[in-house]
Amino acid sequence: MAGMNVVGDLFGSGKMFLPQVVKSARVMKKSVAYLTPFLEAEKQASGARAAAKVVMATVKGDVHDIGKNIVGVVLGCNNYEVIDVGVMVPADKILAAASEKGADVVGLSGLITPSLEEMVHVAREMERQGFTVPLLIGGATTSRAHTAVKIAPAYKGRSCTCSTPLAPWGS
């Protein structure tokens, strides 16, 4: 995880570019795949319960899920139960999964600019359906300003933005 923090810092400062981040993420994914059985066995042996249940998805219209996958791994390593609903997921499927799984947090990811409006749509739907769980927004085009100006007015529940696709819980 320390290595991915370095990758995130380098990417955020413009010293590492997306192809390098993708390669780093692939290496991390293989490492996590190897370690997962050991981590799961340790959790079962200790009887530890998840800190929270997080339903995550890349919003409809967007297929870029590297950042979401990295955040999912980071959360999983920090005792969160992560339920990844997938990519190009419409609002109704995200919210159905959140309801069905009893999510404590809903996480939305998107890399392209149109994803920002889709995230606002999901936030409005969460408000309309009476959700109160925190909403985590992340992706390369997201910003704290966008979350504050566009998403917060659409959803009365708490919302925060990742400061970069590699830095979960940035605000």
Side-chain angles (χ1 to χ4, degrees):
M1 297 317 306
M4 286 312 295
N5 286 337
V6 172
V7 169
D9 291 342
L10 291 171
F11 180 68
S13 67
K15 294 178 183 172
M16 183 177 267
F17 302 101
L18 194 56
Q20 295 162 313
V21 173
V22 170
K23 285 182 181 181
S24 299
R26 286 184 186 138
V27 169
M28 182 180 177
K29 190 173 182 177
K30 286 181 182 179
S31 300
V32 170
Y34 176 80
L35 292 172
T36 297
F38 299 105
L39 295 170
E40 291 300 320
E42 186 177 306
K43 279 184 195 175
Q44 285 183 344
S46 71
R49 299 182 69 188
K53 194 177 293 189
V54 182
V55 168
M56 294 177 44
T58 301
V59 295
K60 182 176 105 179
D62 201 322
V63 297
H64 304 92
D65 68 347
I66 292 168
K68 175 189 63 134
N69 292 342
I70 293 170
V71 170
V73 168
V74 171
L75 291 173
C77 290
N78 285 283
N79 203 32
Y80 287 83
E81 180 182 345
V82 178
I83 301 157
D84 187 339
V85 184
V87 299
M88 296 213 27
V89 184
D92 60 331
K93 285 182 118 176
I94 295 168
L95 301 183
S99 291
E100 177 186 313
K101 303 292 184 180
D104 298 303
V105 177
V106 172
L108 304 177
S109 177
L111 178 71
I112 59 177
T113 304
S115 298
L116 297 174
E117 283 307 310
E118 185 61 23
M119 290 176 185
V120 172
H121 169 67
V122 174
R124 283 190 188 116
E125 280 301 298
M126 288 178 73
E127 183 67 25
R128 188 182 70 75
Q129 293 182 27
F131 278 80
T132 59
V133 299
L135 176 59
L136 175 65
I137 302 296
T141 57
T142 62
S143 68
R144 292 177 186 181
H146 178 267
T147 299
V149 172
K150 297 285 189 165
I151 293 177
Y155 179 59
K156 305 256 186 306
R158 209 172 80 201
S159 57
C160 64
T161 303
C162 292
S163 57
T164 74
L166 302 176
W169 309 104
S171 61

